Each structure stands twice: as structure tokens, then as C-alpha cells.
Amino acid sequence: MVEGDILGKLAQQEIALRIGVLALQGDFREHMNMVERCGHEPIKVRLPEEVELIDGLIIPGGESTTFGIIMERYNLIAPIRKAASSGMPVFGTCAGAIVIAKEIEGSNQQRLSIMDISVRRNAFGRQVNSFEADIEIKQLGELPFRAVFIRAPIITKVGEGVEVLATFEGKIVLAKQGNIIACAFHPELTNDLRLHQYFISLCETYAKGRMNK
Ligand code: GLN
């Protein structure tokens, strides 16, 4: 192989990203598995200093009130807010989407408040606590995405600069504000890597920007 080929290959090669997964509670292992399947290194995040080592953070599903309490106890709120405001991508799924919202209907539970959305917890009612549905996400192409909803929230209001990426029965279930994504369902419980890949592409842009600084 001539040298030019090698350099070309190196230029094309994806950089190994460190994708953090908040590992305090909930289904963080499934997210770590998805990150690995996307070809990147999942990093468990539990300590404030770990937030500085990562190129993006996934906040999994679980119980949002518990996340709030543990994040506060572990002093994670300020470092995550700081990283998010400096452009680090954050992907909140289900309880994670609640935790990143500025407003949670009828609740003053602890939260990160890093995305200008209002959410309603357990919005699909008790009788349909869990279900699956195919939803359309234009950014991911033609093929519908199988969305798993488990005591899922919905996004009831979006502020300026928030893009709605998907709805289900007229309710907003996926939205993005710059580097922050809120997802009402569980993409980590399917075999479809597209949403994780989409998030990781934001992390890649962020990591490259950081390297060039
Ligand atoms: N209902 C939970 C909450 O309000 C979220 C459920 C989930 O993450 N699957 O925190």
C-alpha cells in the first residue's frame, strides 16, 4: 500500500468517541450495549469529574424523581449543565427526557433544566402503560422506527429553537434543541441503531470541534 492510501484511510477513519451513559439508575446497560454496537466506547458516568472526559451523555430511562435525587447527591447537576451549555450533546430517553426538561407539569422535582420543553409524565394513562408503535422520523430515513413506550412522558410544549423530530397520535415524542435530544420512548430496547447513530454523529461533530480548539 502506498503512503497516500494509508493517509486517506486514516482521514476517513472514525475517531473513537467516549460516549457517557449516566449509570446511576435505570436501564443504562442497554444503552451501553447500543453504543458498543455502534462501534464506540461507552463510559459509565457516576462522578462529576467523569463528565469532563466524555464527548456526549446519554441519560437512560428509569425513574426521573430518583435520578434528580441521586444527581443532586452526587454533585452531577452543575457539571452536566456546564458541559451541555458548552455544546456537549445530551440524549435523554424516557425518564432522561423528563430530567433534561425545563418544565415538568405539576412537579417541582429536581432536574437539569437544559432543554426548553415542558413534559407530562406518564402521559399515556394507566391502562396503556406500555406499548410499541411504528413512528416516522424523517432524519433517520424512510424506514419507520419501532418505538417502545413504557410509562412514557410526552412533550407538551416546545420553546423557540426546538425542532420536533417525531410525533405519535399528534403528541410530540422526539425533539431536539441544538445539542440536546429528548426522546419519550426507549430506542435502546430495539435492534435499531439509527437513533443512537444519529446522536453519536452529534457527538462526533462536538469532539472534532473540541480537538480543533
Ligand atoms: N414514568 C417514569 C418517570 O416519570 C419514566 C418511565 C421510564 O423511564 N420508562 O420517571
Side-chain angles (χ1 to χ4, degrees), residues 4-193:
D5 285 346
I6 297 167
L7 291 179
K9 278 239 157 67
L10 278 178
Q12 274 171 20
Q13 205 176 47
E14 278 181 45
I15 49 170
L17 297 170
R18 290 158 305 176
I19 308 295
V21 182
L22 195 65
L24 302 176
Q25 198 255 341
D27 74 336
F28 57 89
R29 287 180 195 84
E30 285 77 2
H31 275 291
M32 293 178 73
N33 185 25
M34 293 299 262
V35 170
E36 227 161 59
R37 287 172 64 193
C38 291
H40 295 279
E41 193 186 350
I43 309 271
K44 269 188 202 159
V45 173
R46 291 195 172 120
L47 301 171
E49 48 273 29
E50 286 163 343
V51 178
E52 280 156 36
L53 304 175
I54 53 175
D55 302 309
L57 178 67
I58 299 175
I59 306 181
E63 178 56 47
S64 58
T65 49
T66 311
F67 275 119
I69 293 166
I70 308 180
M71 280 193 312
E72 187 164 39
R73 197 171 295 160
Y74 282 36
N75 296 317
L76 281 163
I77 294 188
I80 297 175
R81 277 186 187 150
K82 189 169 159 223
S85 72
S86 82
M88 184 188 77
V90 178
F91 184 20
T93 64
C94 204
I98 298 167
V99 163
I100 62 178
K102 285 218 164 118
E103 200 182 308
I104 304 169
E105 286 187 6
S107 171
N108 60 6
Q109 68 194 74
Q110 185 58 268
R111 73 203 68 169
L112 290 165
S113 294
I114 53 174
M115 184 167 177
D116 196 5
I117 53 172
S118 182
V119 296
R120 182 179 304 154
R121 295 176 63 194
N122 303 318
F124 291 99
R126 285 201 181 155
Q127 60 283 49
V128 252
N129 274 335
S130 305
F131 60 96
E132 294 183 20
D134 282 331
I135 59 168
E136 190 194 333
I137 306 172
K138 279 204 188 78
Q139 285 72 3
L140 303 186
E142 296 271 291
L143 205 70
F145 195 95
R146 189 80 180 155
V148 180
F149 294 86
I150 302 170
R151 294 191 305 118
I154 54 166
I155 299 166
T156 49
K157 271 189 251 159
V158 296
E160 232 173 88
V162 178
E163 257 177 283
V164 173
L165 303 186
T167 58
F168 170 69
E169 292 181 343
K171 297 171 176 112
I172 303 169
V173 292
L174 183 67
K176 173 175 180 287
Q177 182 175 28
N179 54 317
I180 318 282
I181 301 176
C183 178
F185 51 90
H186 287 267
E188 74 285 10
L189 299 181
T190 63
N191 272 320
D192 196 333
L193 297 175

